[in-house]
Amino acid sequence: VRASKVFLLLAILLFGGLLESAWRVREQLDVGPAGCRVLGGKFYGPSFSFESEAQLTAGASPEVVVENAFGSVTIGAGGDGRVHARLRSVVFLPTEEAARAFASRVRLLTSREGERISVGTNRSELRSSDVGLETHLVIEVPAAAAVKVENEHGGLNVGGVATARLNNAFGDVSLARVAGAAEVVARHGEVTVEGVGGELTLAHRYGDARVEDVAGAARLEAQHGELRVQRVGGVRGRLQHANLKVEAVRGDLEVTGEHAAVEARDIAGAARVQTSYRRIAVAGVSGEARLTTSHGPLSAQDVGGPLLAESSYEDVSVAGIAGPVQIKVEHGGVSARGLERGGRIACSGDDVEVDGFGGVLEIEAQRGDVRVTPRTALGSGLSVRAANGAVELEVPAGSRFELEASASDGEVHVALDDVKATTTGRGLFKGRVGAGGAAVKLAAEHGDVTLRRPENRSAERE
Amino acid sequence: MGLAYRPERVTVGLAVTGLGVLWTLANLGWLDLLATLRRFWPLLLIAWGVLELAASLEARAAGGRR
């Protein structure tokens, strides 16, 4: 066989292939559901709609089970003791005659077995067909109905029912006005839940969710999305690569997360949050707060109970803590204001600043300075140890305490007028400030210890 | 004895001529070039095959006469 023949054969086949490709691009290039341009598919081109309906008498407390795919499901109250279902079939075929012939094979299936009423279509029998078929269901049910829906590749809109269990994929879910409990499982779509009279369980992947006005607690599981939650009875959540913003919780907030940020405001109960790689920010917690994050910043404001805050590789900032604090930071700093009942701060890698505290406070810092500024006369116990850092304490007028200050490889500066020294030496000062009282121990390794009046701060720094 | 023509050359000639004619008709608005080409391009393979068959028969007949 001559090479010219082989070449010609290949050239003709390539020519044919190019023509086929060009034809497909011209005829079937279209905008897909997510706005992307796609080739092929059954759901493009001319389409025609056909409707059918069915009605069933419901029992006193009916359970309505709906199964659908490739179409939306809308369920609302108003059935007047009956379940009224309407099906709109959308058939993707070039002519109305062909579409009508195909639609004649699509049936709305309804059945009743005791209190259970099933609504669906026979689209599974038509699955082998290469015709695009959407089945949209609109169902009216009695307000006392417990609704269960399984749907995919379509939206879900449910409102005004007794209870709801929804499972949806590849479409948005909207649930409103549920008298009792609700359960939503959703993938690849937005979720909106408004007004649930009982508890809410939401498991959600790949999409954002908004939850509002839930009387009971909300149990949330989220992956890869943003959650906004408002006015709920409580929150228990598990997050993976998702962020939670929650406001106005009437009970406790309990969240564990991975690569998840948690922002919470107005928590009537306790807040317990554990996450990683993203931030925790809580404000207005009535009870205790236990906050732990690694590789993420942490802030807590206006906490009514004790605070446990642990973080690494980022800073911790707390303000207005009514209970005792326990703060632990590795490779980050601490900024604390208004610690009403003192506590313990352990920090490594950066500075510690405390502005205003009451009760007994203990601070231990490594590789960072410590600055303590009491807002009122100091009369309670204070212990500060800094390794490879300096210690500064501002002493307001009227303070009274027993002072023990030591600095190894550093100096002790005591710029107070009402102090009586009992022991002094190289890097050591013991004495009584005012009339004496609780013990204040300040120790620095490889750093200075300085005590001064607040009014001398700016002058000395200049 | 060689053939008076080579089938693949004739095929290429037919293809180029046919493409030119169709393109002109498309420019005149008489047909859809892409649709027409897509529908009829396998004719090229048929035409080439016929020419190869004819050439083979001709070569065999020429050999028999000798």
Side-chain angles (χ1 to χ4, degrees), chain A residues 390-412:
Chain A
V391 176
E392 278 183 38
L393 173 64
E394 292 190 358
V395 181
S399 297
R400 37 182 291 177
F401 54 87
E402 304 291 338
L403 173 65
E404 182 181 329
S406 63
S408 66
D409 200 14
E411 293 180 356
V412 176

Side-chain angles (χ1 to χ4, degrees), chain B residues 16-45:
Chain B
V16 172
T17 308
L19 183 64
V21 170
L22 291 176
W23 206 319
T24 306
L25 292 175
N27 284 347
L28 292 171
W30 291 1
L31 54 81
D32 180 345
L33 180 65
L34 183 59
T36 309
L37 284 174
R38 181 197 170 240
R39 187 165 296 159
F40 294 112
W41 75 266
L43 285 178
L44 264 182
L45 291 171

Side-chain angles (χ1 to χ4, degrees), chain A residues 271-273 280 282 289-293 298-300 307-311:
Chain A
R272 300 181 192 95
V273 181
I280 297 175
V282 299
R290 300 177 73 86
L291 315 173
T292 306
T293 179
L298 192 159
S299 74
L307 168 69
L308 168 77
E310 292 187 1
S311 176

